Amino acid sequence: MQIQELVNNATFTVLLGKNGSGKSTLLRSIDTADQFNTKYITPERGGSLKYEPGVEHNISQNPNWLRDTRRQNRTDNFRQQSTAQFRNLEVMVLREIEKDLDKRQDTEYTFDTTINHINELLPNINLTRSDRGFEISNNQNQAVDENNISSGESELIALSIEVLVFSRSNQENKVLLLDEPDVHLHPDLQHKFVEFVERTANEFGFKVVLATHSTAIVGSFKEESDLQIVPITNKEQTEFSSFKYDPICHEILPVFGAHPLSSHFNRIPILLVEGDDDKRVFEQITRSSQGAIRLYPCVVGTVDEMTKWEQWLNTFLPSIYDNPNAYSLRDLDDAEQADIDDIGFVNRTRLNCYAIENLLLTNECLSEHSYTTEQFCEKIEQWANINPGHQTTESLIALKDNFADRRTTKIKELRNVILALLGTTKPWEVLVGQLIVNKLPASDGDDNSLKTYLGEKVIEKLFS
């Protein structure tokens, strides 16, 4: 996609990329494109929420003054500019009420209704109208000087005014360009601001393109939002790919924390697994290895969903990290072989046994519980004779009769009985996790060894 198609492809577009990758450059390219009516919000926003008549004079005398001063990364008097626009917002809202019969007849709909949308973002302070535009008070109705509120509160007030003024501008093809709106905002305030922008854009019919490093911003959009995520890799980029928002975003983004440019992911790579059982096994591996093996297991659900996650990671990790790396682990199920090709930065692996619970039947696990293969088969037969009517008896007998094939046999429904036969009270996930950490280095590699069940690639990628 090129720029025009990119903007028109979704109501909300999020640009993800490392510092210097060209996110601001792209926003300014959109800002100067003839086919859009835009407002560009500078990434570094200075100043204070103080009304300055000179700023309002500049805005009124030169229609291009505001736009021209914001085409740099830093605007030193950004907040003064926002404050000056508040008075213009009041006029715009009153004219809106005047022209809209329904709103005119609604006696509760006033300019204060719009102010309340801003106040909903601010848990500790409130704005009220005044001759100079607005005044600030705390929750005890005590006046607060604009220099005594937090930078985050100042950011929210200024940004919300900018959004509301733009929403009421009488133009077609409107695109709001937000450059790092997360600056100075705690993740919960980022969430509130995204909800505010999303609601306003949908109500007044304009598009939003924002650049951010914050996964809290991305994760704050509703699942049903018309949202696309676009990786930005360099300033010379002219073609863009996008990833439409889907449930993967809500599941995977918390892995990276509020700010993915931290080193968390590089220290603890993500590992995609099929189910909660696998996740618990790898959590136990981390504990039992005392951090020597560190992976962040993330449940995806099904094999088809895993492929989508792998593609998502491969597409977007390079725009977030300098040295992207991720892993995935599938069950063998009925596949003929464990070999599976990687997808770019995602190291894909597959167990060499039906599922991870099959490790309960490895030579190492049986030996750990003082059984030979023959002794364990005898134990199964004894149990079956005592419990002929149990729902698992038939499957247990089939397992015993084909014990040589236990590596590729589905034993999910038998896990608890196998634990009882082994004589352990440990949860099977704990047992398997400890088994991998304690026994893998000494595994001998025969057909029913721990090494064989895991497979060479799993051992090399996940446990070396």
Side-chain angles (χ1 to χ4, degrees), residues 385-442:
N385 290 334
I386 296 172
N387 302 280
H390 195 274
Q391 60 184 1
T392 62
T393 298
E394 185 177 343
S395 297
L396 273 171
I397 292 298
L399 173 64
K400 177 189 77 69
D401 291 344
N402 298 280
F403 208 60
D405 298 324
R406 61 190 184 274
R407 178 177 65 85
T408 55
T409 300
K410 184 177 181 179
I411 64 165
K412 184 172 184 177
E413 64 173 359
L414 305 178
R415 293 180 306 202
N416 291 333
V417 177
I418 290 172
L419 286 175
L421 295 176
L422 290 172
T424 180
T425 58
K426 291 180 180 179
W428 76 266
E429 301 95 332
V430 172
L431 194 158
V432 168
Q434 292 175 342
L435 186 73
I436 290 172
V437 173
N438 297 329
K439 299 296 183 180
L440 180 58

Side-chain angles (χ1 to χ4, degrees), residues 225-441:
S225 298
D226 180 23
L227 171 67
Q228 64 178 345
I229 305 171
V230 179
I232 305 299
T233 55
N234 63 79
K235 293 181 178 179
E236 288 71 41
Q237 190 172 347
T238 57
E239 292 288 336
F240 306 94
S241 60
S242 68
F243 194 97
K244 279 290 189 176
Y245 199 53
D246 68 19
I248 290 178
C249 296
H250 276 289
E251 294 294 333
I252 203 168
L253 289 172
V255 172
F256 304 114
H259 198 296
L261 296 182
S262 68
S263 59
H264 172 78
F265 180 79
N266 288 323
R267 292 199 319 267
I268 310 178
I270 189 172
L271 170 66
L272 305 179
V273 294
E274 292 185 38
D276 289 314
D277 296 339
D278 306 78
K279 179 180 179 181
R280 287 191 288 270
V281 169
F282 277 89
E283 288 172 342
Q284 182 60 48
I285 288 170
T286 298
R287 289 192 292 269
S288 296
S289 70
Q290 297 182 328
I293 301 172
R294 303 185 73 190
L295 295 161
Y296 194 109
C298 193
V299 178
V300 301
T302 68
V303 172
D304 289 341
E305 289 173 327
M306 183 174 288
T307 301
K308 289 178 62 179
W309 284 58
E310 291 165 338
Q311 292 169 342
W312 194 96
L313 287 171
N314 184 55
T315 301
F316 290 98
L317 287 185
S319 66
I320 301 176
Y321 299 101
D322 290 327
N323 299 298
N325 203 20
Y327 301 89
S328 65
L329 178 66
R330 287 166 164 75
D331 295 335
L332 181 64
D333 293 330
D334 296 319
E336 295 183 2
Q337 60 181 16
D339 291 344
I340 185 170
D341 293 332
D342 297 335
I343 295 181
F345 301 102
V346 181
N347 298 274
R348 300 202 297 171
T349 64
R350 192 183 346 244
L351 290 167
N352 195 37
C353 58
Y354 191 91
I356 202 164
E357 58 260 27
N358 287 63
L359 271 64
L360 294 169
L361 299 177
T362 57
N363 293 336
E364 288 82 359
C365 188
L366 296 181
S367 176
E368 177 77 7
H369 295 87
S370 303
Y371 284 108
T372 63
T373 298
E374 293 76 15
Q375 289 171 336
F376 193 71
C377 286
E378 290 175 4
K379 187 73 172 180
I380 291 176
E381 187 166 5
Q382 292 172 6
W383 190 93
N385 290 334
I386 296 172
N387 302 280
H390 195 274
Q391 60 184 1
T392 62
T393 298
E394 185 177 343
S395 297
L396 273 171
I397 292 298
L399 173 64
K400 177 189 77 69
D401 291 344
N402 298 280
F403 208 60
D405 298 324
R406 61 190 184 274
R407 178 177 65 85
T408 55
T409 300
K410 184 177 181 179
I411 64 165
K412 184 172 184 177
E413 64 173 359
L414 305 178
R415 293 180 306 202
N416 291 333
V417 177
I418 290 172
L419 286 175
L421 295 176
L422 290 172
T424 180
T425 58
K426 291 180 180 179
W428 76 266
E429 301 95 332
V430 172
L431 194 158
V432 168
Q434 292 175 342
L435 186 73
I436 290 172
V437 173
N438 297 329
K439 299 296 183 180
L440 180 58

